[in-house]
Amino acid sequence: MGILKQKKVVRPPKGLIPGQRRPANIRYVYSLTSFVCLGSFLFGWNQGVMSMIIADARWLDLMKPANDWTIGFVVSIYNIGCALGAMTVGFFADSIGRERTISLATIIFIAGALLQAVSYTITQMTLGRLILGVGVGAYSAGVPLYITEIAPAAVRGRIGAINLMILCFAEMVVFFVVYGFFFVESNDWWRYPIGIQVLPALVLALGCWSWVPPSPRWLVAQERYDCAHEVLSRLHGSDVAEFEMKEIRNSLSVEGASSQGIWADMFRQPVLRITFLGTTIQFLQQITGTNSIFYCRVSVPCGPSWSYPTANLSTSAPTLFMRGGLSAESANLATAGVGVVLFFAAWIPVFFFDKLGRKTWLQIGTVGMFGSLIGIAAFLRHAEHYPGDPTNNGIVAFPYLFYTFFNMSWSSGSWTYAAEIFPISLRAKGNALCTASLWISNFIVAQTTPPIASAIGWGLYVLLAFFCVIAFLFLRFALVETRGRSLEEMAELFGVEDGTMKQDTEDSERNELLRHSSDSMEDTF
């Protein structure tokens, strides 16, 4: 661990006059965010890269899976790897640094990608998916953790939304990349879209090791105060850095924490409440319908030598479109359109998420998702009774509406919320546990949706709408609003502070400066 740990001294740039005032550099914040979000790009790539591959006759003839459940296991074992990878962040991010953890995760990611790319058996493919999942899980917890800790409070929601937008961009691009490679006249065509992930992963690993600065919160927890002050000065300006340093150190002091807390602390009051909120919001993100609609994108295998049982695909987006009267090819193209909708809807929170409270956005999205699911259920029921009716084509609009509302609210909101609410000494472990909750929920959805859909058909979407009602009640009555709060204010907001600290004139001055600086940053994009 000593070899891996970030130890490089962060010094002011050469030529800087001692005491010289430096302005905030929001462009630098955005640049770091965009680069580290290469991890989210790889996350998004792997959400879609296998969808067409597992349905292609050439791949199936090579791998010879025993049945469709074997293929389902190849796909879903990835979620188990992701849950494991997310939990590792709780240890490594505190021990070696946030950005070093992302770099280390990339080594595991590359190993998994290469193993898949050279696989000739279903066992090799499954092992590769598991290993790669560990890397992606570490990205999914580590990237939001890092970008949350470098972001000014006023634009933290926007920073989280940029992360989502990059992820959705990858989900959109990967479909067309895989579709293009599909026409390569080779039985090994599928190896290319899996293997090319290694290139951006290498760039991410090298950049996080050598260029990306450590999180200032982690540096303070390591008692490297000069380095933390320099990083904050580069990001938020020298004036704000002075006050932020005091705020971070006071926060650690009030928490009674050393460089890191222990796992048991998250299950003791008052932190237990925070753990409940973070894990629940991430769990609900998955069971309110997103992957139940879109989990398996391609419903018709690309070749005559294989067929899935229809029930196992009755919930995928292409199947919904085919029930609306589209051909198989048109349905797959319409599913690619869902990827486009996801990408463009991801821009909504980039510009507007910080304008309203977290609770407001999430409640608006939940209501829209509820209406979309009811619409899907109604059209599916109509299609059962009146097959071939042109009215059934109306179903096409509702998955698009669902993902528009989902991406403008839950898709970025739950990640941002889980990454920002924990006190600094437990933030890495807390965010890791919340992310693992999401991946476990994802695995449950993948395993239970097909049999539920087989049993109750369109009733599945009524059930998902019911989960949206539960989610809305959770948001309305349990969630604590965090918009505009600094990360250090979270301890006070959730009652982690011992109540003995009183704000003096200096505190008021500091908060006023932070608000003024954040407001000016919010107007810059």
Side-chain angles (χ1 to χ4, degrees):
M1 297 303 296
I3 297 174
L4 297 173
K5 189 174 183 178
Q6 163 57 260
K7 297 178 181 178
K8 183 179 179 181
V9 178
V10 185
R11 294 189 174 93
K14 294 180 179 179
L16 185 72
I17 301 172
Q20 180 178 342
R21 181 179 178 276
R22 285 189 277 176
N25 191 348
I26 191 63
R27 293 184 184 276
Y28 184 47
V29 175
Y30 288 141
S31 297
L32 286 174
T33 298
S34 300
F35 182 82
V36 172
C37 285
L38 270 176
S40 297
F41 180 89
L42 295 169
F43 173 5
W45 188 276
N46 280 280
Q47 290 297 95
V49 72
M50 290 297 293
S51 61
M52 187 178 293
I53 291 173
I54 61 174
D56 180 59
R58 291 168 289 183
W59 185 85
L60 294 166
D61 289 340
L62 173 67
M63 295 296 170
K64 295 180 173 57
N67 49 48
D68 60 312
W69 295 110
T70 302
I71 296 179
F73 185 72
V74 172
V75 174
S76 60
I77 193 66
Y78 164 81
N79 296 322
I80 299 300
C82 288
L84 294 173
M87 290 300 291
T88 64
V89 171
F91 172 70
F92 286 103
D94 281 333
S95 300
I96 67 175
R98 288 26 173 165
E99 80 295 347
R100 286 289 171 91
T101 299
I102 296 171
S103 188
L104 183 63
T106 301
I107 298 173
I108 300 171
F109 177 92
I110 291 173
L114 290 177
L115 180 56
Q116 288 183 82
V118 300
S119 292
Y120 282 89
T121 67
I122 203 74
T123 301
Q124 292 172 340
M125 199 74 185
T126 303
L127 182 59
R129 289 282 291 172
L130 177 64
I131 294 172
L132 180 136
V134 173
V136 170
Y139 289 154
S140 66
V143 170
L145 175 64
Y146 179 82
I147 63 176
T148 295
E149 292 192 343
I150 67 169
V155 295
R156 197 164 57 240
R158 174 181 291 173
I159 293 295
I162 291 173
N163 181 39
L164 163 71
M165 181 269 294
I166 292 173
L167 187 155
C168 290
F169 177 70
E171 285 188 325
M172 178 182 67
V173 169
V174 70
F175 181 88
F176 294 102
V177 170
V178 175
Y179 190 73
F181 276 113
F182 170 76
F183 292 101
V184 174
E185 294 183 2
S186 169
N187 291 336
D188 295 323
W189 70 272
W190 54 272
R191 301 184 190 277
Y192 300 112
I194 293 176
I196 59 178
Q197 302 174 88
V198 171
L199 296 178
L202 283 172
V203 172
L204 178 63
L206 294 173
C208 284
W209 192 269
S210 60
W211 176 65
V212 174
S215 159
R217 269 81 183 179
W218 180 79
L219 288 169
V220 172
Q222 296 290 314
E223 299 182 352
R224 296 169 58 185
Y225 304 123
D226 290 341
C227 293
H229 183 273
E230 172 58 25
V231 173
L232 286 170
S233 297
R234 294 180 185 182
L235 295 168
H236 306 161
S238 53
D239 291 342
V240 173
E242 294 286 346
F243 295 117
E244 284 187 318
M245 282 294 299
K246 293 179 182 178
E247 193 171 54
I248 297 169
R249 294 182 69 172
N250 285 341
S251 178
L252 278 171
S253 174
V254 169
E255 290 170 28
S258 57
S259 62
Q260 54 183 295
I262 59 175
W263 287 100
D265 291 338
M266 291 193 301
F267 303 99
R268 301 183 182 124
Q269 289 290 6
V271 180
L272 177 60
R273 179 192 180 196
I274 304 175
T275 303
F276 168 75
L277 293 177
T279 54
T280 302
I281 197 171
Q282 288 287 58
F283 191 88
L284 287 172
Q285 195 231 56
Q286 289 295 299
I287 67 169
T288 48
T290 174
N291 279 330
S292 295
I293 298 173
F294 203 38
Y295 206 88
C296 297
R297 299 199 210 181
V298 178
S299 61
V300 179
C302 305
S305 63
W306 185 268
S307 61
Y308 285 112
T310 304
N312 285 353
L313 291 166
S314 60
T315 57
S316 67
T319 305
L320 290 177
F321 294 139
M322 284 191 290
R323 288 186 177 186
L326 276 67
S327 66
E329 289 185 2
S330 297
N332 286 331
L333 187 60
T335 305
V338 174
V340 175
V341 169
L342 283 168
F343 174 66
F344 284 105
W347 283 94
I348 297 173
V350 171
F351 291 102
F352 300 109
F353 194 75
D354 286 307
K355 302 294 183 182
L356 300 175
R358 312 294 197 239
K359 293 180 66 169
T360 302
W361 270 114
L362 288 165
Q363 288 177 82
I364 291 172
T366 304
V367 171
M369 290 156 59
F370 172 86
S372 302
L373 290 166
I374 293 298
I376 291 173
F379 272 92
L380 284 178
R381 186 177 185 278
H382 184 271
E384 282 185 5
H385 292 85
Y386 305 99
D389 188 338
T391 305
N392 296 335
N393 293 337
I395 199 173
V396 172
F398 287 95
Y400 283 17
L401 283 173
F402 178 90
Y403 285 113
T404 298
F405 282 107
F406 176 78
N407 254 26
M408 64 185 278
S409 57
W410 282 86
S411 195
S412 60
S414 69
W415 291 99
T416 301
Y417 195 84
E420 69 185 0
I421 58 177
F422 285 90
I424 186 172
S425 58
L426 290 169
R427 188 168 296 132
K429 290 179 173 64
N431 189 50
L433 185 64
C434 294
T435 306
S437 170
L438 179 142
W439 285 112
I440 292 169
S441 176
N442 195 341
F443 179 79
I444 293 171
V445 167
Q447 296 302 307
T448 61
T449 295
I452 293 175
S454 179
I456 63 176
W458 56 267
L460 169 68
Y461 297 94
V462 177
L463 178 62
L464 295 173
F466 173 71
F467 288 146
C468 284
V469 173
I470 294 175
F472 184 87
L473 294 175
F474 167 78
L475 296 171
R476 181 69 180 83
F477 297 107
L479 209 68
V480 177
E481 182 57 60
T482 58
R483 174 182 176 265
R485 297 275 191 164
S486 72
L487 295 180
E488 286 62 51
E489 288 179 300
M490 297 299 173
E492 178 186 358
L493 181 65
F494 288 98
V496 176
E497 292 189 352
D498 60 11
T500 60
M501 289 185 65
K502 304 292 183 182
Q503 281 197 327
D504 53 18
T505 305
E506 183 180 313
D507 290 325
S508 300
E509 224 172 74
R510 176 178 72 248
N511 291 335
E512 183 62 31
L513 178 60
L514 290 173
R515 277 193 293 270
H516 176 73
S517 176
S518 294
D519 289 343
S520 64
M521 284 186 170
E522 190 177 14
D523 295 332
T524 307
F525 185 67

